[in-house]
Amino acid sequence: MAILVREGMKVLVQGITGRQGTIHTKLMLDYGTNVVAGVTPGKAGTEVHGVPVFDTIEDAVREVGPIDASIVFVPAPFALDAVVEAVDNGIPLVVVITEGIPVHDTAKFVAYAKSKGTTVIGPNCPGIIAPGRVKIGIMPADAFAPGPVGIVSRSGTLTYEISISLKEDGYGSSTTIGIGGDPITGLNFIEVLEMFKDDPETKAVVLVGEIGGDAEERAARYIKEIGYPKPVVAYVAGRTAPPGKRMGHAGAIITGGQGTVESKERAFREAGVPVAKTPFEIAPLLEEVMRERGIS
Amino acid sequence: MRLLEYESKEALASRGVPVPRGEVARTPDEAAEITRRLGGRAVLKIQIPHGQRGKAGGIKVVGSPEEARRVAAELLSRTFYGYRPESLLVEEPIEVKTEIYVGAIADRNARSMTFISTPYGGMEVEEIAAEHPESIEKRSVHPLMGMVPYMARVLAKNASMNAPDKLREIQKVVLALWDVARDYDAMMLEINPLAVTTDGRVLALDARIEVDDNALFRHKEFEKRYYAVGNPREAEARKRGIAYVELEGNVGTMANGAGLAMATMDLVHTFGGKPANFCDVGGGASADRVAEALELVVSNPNVKVVLINTLCGITSCVDVAEGVRKVHERGLLKVPVVVRMSGNRAEEGKRILSELGIKATERAVEAVKHAIELAR
C-alpha cells in the first residue's frame, strides 16, 4: 500500500484541454494511471487522448461514476473554483498543480476541503507518485523506482534529482509527495510523516525542505517528541539565498531572520535526523541510517 | 509587494480606520502648500517601500511652509536604503498618549491569517515579542468565517490595556484590518503604532501592507510599481515572469525549478564558489524562454561563467540547447557556459551544444566544479 493513492483509482483532470493538462493526461495514462474523465467548461463532448471531456464534474460523475482523485491544472485565478467543485462532488483527494494562486484563495479552499473531508495536495506542487503503480502528477516517470523510501518535498525538480540519485544507489520509493512551494498548502510535513509512519511499505523517509517558514523545525520537533519509529534523512535548499527575497516559490523567503537553512538543519540535528549537505549526499546517509537500524 | 505608507493608509481609511489628516506631495512646493493647509506645522515622511525611515532621517517635523519646502527639497533629493523617494506624505503633527500594535500575517502553520495585538507599539514587532512576550495576543481567523466580533474584542482588549476607554474604537480597527487583509490580498499588514492621542482620538500613525504578489492580477493599481522596484535586471525578470534574484558572486546560475535553482546555488557555495544569482527558468520552458533567462544572467557584469543546471522532465533538453544557441547567435555569450543536462532528450541537446563548442555533462557536481574553476 502506498499512502493516499492506490492502483486503479479513478482520476479526473480539471483543465484537461490546456497545454499542461493535455500533456500530463497522456503521460499519466502512459504510466498506467486510470484517468477516466476531464473537465473544461465549454469543451464537453470532445476527447483528450481518448479521455472524455465534460463541462462540469457533475456531468462527469453521472457518466463515469464516483471519482477517487482529481488533478487540477486550471489557471491560478480559477483554482479556488476548481477545488471547491471537486470537494462538492465528494472527491476525496485533490492534487493542485497550479502555480501562482493567491494565498487567501488557498487558505479558503484548504479550509473548505478540510471541513468536508477532502485531502488537498499542493498547490504549486508536482503531485504524488507511487512508483510502478500510479502517478497523479507531473513528475518524469523514469526518475522514480519502486522501493521502501517515502519522499516528502516542498519542491519539484529537486525531488526528481534526489529520486534519481537514490535510484542510482538502489533505493526506490513507496510514495513520493510534493507538498508544494507555497506558504499555505493542503498537507504539511507532519501530516505526511504521520502517514508514512503507519504505512508498512515505507521503511525510511527522505524529507526535502527549503528556506522560509518553520515547517521543517516543526517536523523536526515532531520526530523528536514522538520518537519517530522510522529513520529520516533531511535536506534543506537555500543556504545561499539572501534574506527578504522570494526564491521562485512564494513560500521560499527568509523574513525577520526566520526560515534560514541553519535554523532548520539545527532542528533536524537536535532531533537526531542526519542532514545532507548536497542532494547527492542523501543516498549515502540513508544507507548509513538504514544499516544502523538493521533495515535493508 | 510592499505598499507605500500612504497607499496603506488609503486602504485602511477606505475601510473605516481613522488616519491623521494629510496629503501626498511630489514637489517641495506641494509640501509647502499642504503644510499651510494643515495650519503651518506638519510631519514630512518619505514614501519608500522600506521600514525604519525615521532612523535614516526620512521623517522630519517642520514648523512652517517655508521650512517644509526646504526640508522636502532635501528629502526628495536623497537616497534612503537604496530608494529615491518620489513623494512625501505630509501629515498633521500628532501628540501621542499611548502607542499600540495590531497586525496580521499569513500563517503557514495555522493555514490562515493570524492576528496579533499588544499594548506596546512603535517598535518592530519582533522587538516587542522579545521584550514583552507576555503582552502578545494571537488569534487565527478561519478563512471562511472571517474576523468575528468576539475575536476582535479579545485582541482589542489586550491592546487597550493602557487605554481601556478605547476598547470599542480599537475593536473596530481590528475588524477593519481584517477587511483590508481580505480585500487587498495582504500577506502581512500592520498598524504600528496605532496611537491614542492626547485629545482622545485613535489613529493609525503608521501602516504597512504587503500585497500577495500572486494576487496582483486583481489589484492592477499596484502592478506598475511592482514591475519597477529593485535592480533593473530583477525588474526586467519580473516583467518577463522569470524568477531571478541577484547575489554578489560571479558564477551565474540557471536551473529549471525553484528548488533545483536554489540547490544549484548551494552547490556552487559548497564547492567553494560564489553564485551570482538565483534563476528559475520554470517548468516546460521553450527555447525562447531559456534564451530570455540566459540573457538576463549574462547581462550581470559580475558574471564570469554561467552554470546551467537542467534536469528535464516536461522541459526538453533540446529547447534548453536551442535557447543557448539563440543567445550565442546574438553574440551575447561573452563568458564561458557550463551545462549539466539530464533527462528528456539530453543526447540531442548535448549534440546541439557541442556544435557551439559547449560541452555538457550529465553530472551536476562535475559541472559545478568546472564552472567554479572557470570563474577563478
Side-chain angles (χ1 to χ4, degrees):
Chain A
M1 276 294 284
I3 64 166
L4 291 166
V5 292
R6 63 181 190 283
E7 216 163 346
M9 68 194 293
K10 286 156 89 176
V11 175
L12 172 97
V13 179
Q14 291 178 264
I16 192 168
T17 58
R19 183 167 160 259
Q20 295 290 318
T22 304
I23 294 171
H24 290 291
T25 295
K26 170 86 169 67
L27 293 173
M28 285 189 287
L29 285 167
D30 289 350
Y31 202 73
T33 302
N34 185 20
V35 182
V36 294
V39 166
T40 297
K43 296 280 174 72
T46 62
E47 282 190 354
V48 172
H49 300 295
V51 175
V53 180
F54 300 90
D55 281 332
T56 65
I57 299 183
E58 273 171 50
D59 290 347
V61 171
R62 204 172 299 128
E63 201 66 31
V64 304
I67 306 286
D68 299 313
S70 164
I71 179 165
V72 176
F73 289 101
V74 306
F78 314 109
L80 167 69
D81 183 46
V83 176
V84 171
E85 187 182 1
V87 172
D88 283 350
N89 280 277
I91 301 178
L93 177 67
V94 180
V95 179
V96 187
I97 304 298
T98 309
E99 186 179 346
I101 300 173
V103 75
H104 283 257
D105 288 7
T106 301
K108 276 188 196 160
F109 70 64
V110 164
Y112 187 66
K114 197 164 243 183
S115 74
K116 302 270 182 175
T118 291
T119 301
V120 173
I121 300 178
N124 190 11
C125 82
I128 179 167
I129 183 169
R133 287 176 284 189
V134 58
K135 172 176 109 158
I136 307 175
I138 61 171
M139 52 286 273
D142 55 7
F144 295 85
V149 184
I151 304 176
V152 56
S153 171
R154 277 171 69 186
S155 71
T157 325
L158 180 58
T159 313
Y160 319 155
E161 177 87 284
I162 287 163
S163 179
I164 289 168
S165 119
L166 288 174
K167 191 177 155 187
E168 283 172 354
D169 281 34
Y171 292 104
S173 167
S174 53
T175 311
T176 295
I177 300 186
I179 56 175
D182 281 357
I184 292 179
T185 53
L187 283 180
N188 63 27
F189 283 130
I190 295 176
E191 287 157 343
V192 177
L193 284 168
E194 287 272 355
M195 294 181 218
F196 280 141
K197 176 167 70 70
D198 300 331
D199 174 38
E201 239 176 44
T202 302
K203 308 289 183 205
V205 177
V206 168
L207 187 154
V208 184
E210 58 189 39
I211 53 159
D214 66 349
E216 290 80 2
E217 286 89 335
R218 285 174 187 271
R221 241 176 289 149
Y222 160 81
I223 289 167
K224 192 176 172 185
E225 274 166 21
I226 73 150
Y228 198 72
K230 299 177 182 182
V232 181
V233 173
Y235 169 74
V236 186
R239 177 180 307 281
T240 47
K245 299 271 190 170
R246 163 175 155 172
M247 293 296 172
H249 288 158
I253 180 164
I254 298 167
T255 44
Q258 285 211 312
T260 62
V261 169
E262 289 72 19
S263 152
K264 294 169 190 301
E265 290 190 344
R266 200 182 317 121
F268 281 124
R269 275 193 223 96
E270 279 168 13
V273 173
V275 181
K277 279 230 163 51
T278 75
F280 310 101
E281 267 184 32
I282 295 172
L285 281 177
L286 195 64
E287 194 172 355
E288 215 179 293
V289 289
M290 286 177 80
R291 193 170 355 95
E292 273 171 22
R293 301 221 193 168
I295 308 163
S296 58
Chain B
M1 78 172 283
R2 180 176 178 148
L3 299 188
L4 299 172
E5 178 194 1
Y6 81 85
E7 294 170 327
S8 302
K9 282 181 169 168
E10 279 173 10
L12 289 166
S14 73
R15 299 299 183 276
V17 177
V19 300
R21 284 190 299 142
E23 289 173 59
V24 175
R26 293 180 194 281
T27 64
D29 284 346
E30 284 176 16
E33 174 55 25
I34 297 164
T35 303
R36 192 189 57 74
R37 278 205 292 270
L38 290 172
R41 289 179 61 242
V43 184
L44 271 46
K45 305 171 89 177
I46 56 165
Q47 298 298 292
I48 58 169
H50 196 284
Q52 304 194 304
R53 292 167 298 162
K55 274 186 193 156
I59 297 175
K60 302 273 188 198
V61 180
V62 295
S64 71
E66 293 69 39
E67 192 186 356
R69 184 180 289 109
R70 198 175 66 244
V71 171
E74 190 222 319
L75 290 174
L76 288 169
S77 66
R78 276 176 58 193
T79 300
F80 301 84
Y81 303 111
Y83 297 98
R84 177 81 173 264
E86 286 176 13
S87 60
L88 305 171
L89 179 57
V90 183
E91 281 186 340
E92 59 172 327
I94 300 294
E95 282 184 46
V96 176
K97 198 168 124 200
T98 304
E99 292 185 324
I100 289 166
Y101 175 98
V102 289
I105 188 160
D107 183 336
R108 297 165 190 244
N109 188 51
R111 296 178 173 116
S112 66
M113 292 301 282
T114 292
F115 278 66
I116 302 157
S117 84
T118 128
Y120 302 97
M123 309 179 261
E124 301 270 314
V125 68
E126 291 85 3
E127 286 174 53
I128 305 170
E131 279 184 39
H132 307 282
E134 75 298 335
S135 78
I136 291 193
E137 191 69 73
K138 281 185 182 183
R139 286 290 184 278
S140 293
V141 175
H142 193 285
L144 301 174
M145 291 299 297
M147 176 64 76
V148 283
Y150 97 82
M151 203 180 259
R153 196 159 58 239
V154 169
L155 290 156
K157 174 105 182 155
N158 179 56
S160 65
M161 207 179 297
N162 300 321
D165 56 322
K166 297 298 172 197
L167 175 63
R168 286 190 68 84
E169 280 98 326
I170 297 168
Q171 183 191 1
K172 272 190 197 158
V173 168
V174 175
L175 284 164
L177 197 63
W178 162 256
D179 291 346
V180 173
R182 179 196 59 206
D183 298 347
Y184 284 80
D185 278 293
M187 294 286 279
M188 181 275 175
L189 75 172
E190 64 182 15
I191 301 174
N192 185 22
L194 177 67
V196 178
T197 65
T198 49
D199 56 359
R201 290 182 292 166
V202 173
L203 286 178
L205 277 203
D206 196 0
R208 169 177 176 187
I209 299 176
E210 299 262 0
V211 175
D212 181 359
D213 293 352
N214 285 347
L216 285 173
F217 67 85
R218 52 191 180 206
H219 302 284
K220 299 279 183 208
E221 68 274 29
F222 304 125
E223 238 180 357
K224 195 173 155 224
R225 198 161 47 75
Y226 172 70
Y227 292 125
V229 164
N231 144 336
R233 284 178 293 276
E234 291 180 354
E236 185 60 33
R238 225 173 289 142
K239 252 178 243 165
R240 295 165 182 253
I242 295 167
Y244 175 89
V245 175
E246 223 156 275
L247 285 83
E248 316 249 285
N250 57 13
V251 179
T253 70
M254 188 176 123
N256 58 328
L260 188 65
M262 270 188 270
T264 303
M265 297 198 309
D266 294 353
L267 280 171
V268 170
H269 172 82
T270 301
F271 290 102
K274 289 198 171 110
N277 67 279
F278 164 93
C279 180
D280 170 18
V281 67
S286 65
D288 283 327
R289 187 154 180 86
V290 171
E292 268 185 336
L294 182 55
E295 276 182 23
L296 268 172
V297 173
V298 296
S299 67
N300 173 358
N302 295 334
V303 166
K304 286 200 176 144
V305 59
V306 179
L307 168 66
I308 300 177
N309 185 8
T310 45
L311 180 60
C312 295
I314 338 162
T315 315
S316 154
C317 287
V318 171
D319 286 335
V320 175
E322 288 295 346
V324 176
R325 194 214 296 270
K326 279 173 196 267
V327 182
H328 177 81
E329 280 170 359
R330 288 171 202 156
L332 296 169
L333 278 189
K334 301 209 164 61
V335 295
V337 177
V338 177
V339 182
R340 180 278 180 117
M341 198 167 253
S342 175
N344 184 11
R345 302 180 74 186
E347 288 312 311
E348 290 163 81
K350 283 189 204 162
R351 209 169 311 127
I352 296 165
L353 289 175
S354 72
E355 287 164 18
L356 309 175
I358 297 169
K359 194 173 165 292
T361 164
E362 291 260 346
R363 298 274 148 194
V365 171
E366 191 184 311
V368 168
K369 286 180 175 166
H370 188 204
I372 294 168
E373 269 166 40
L374 290 173
R376 284 206 177 107

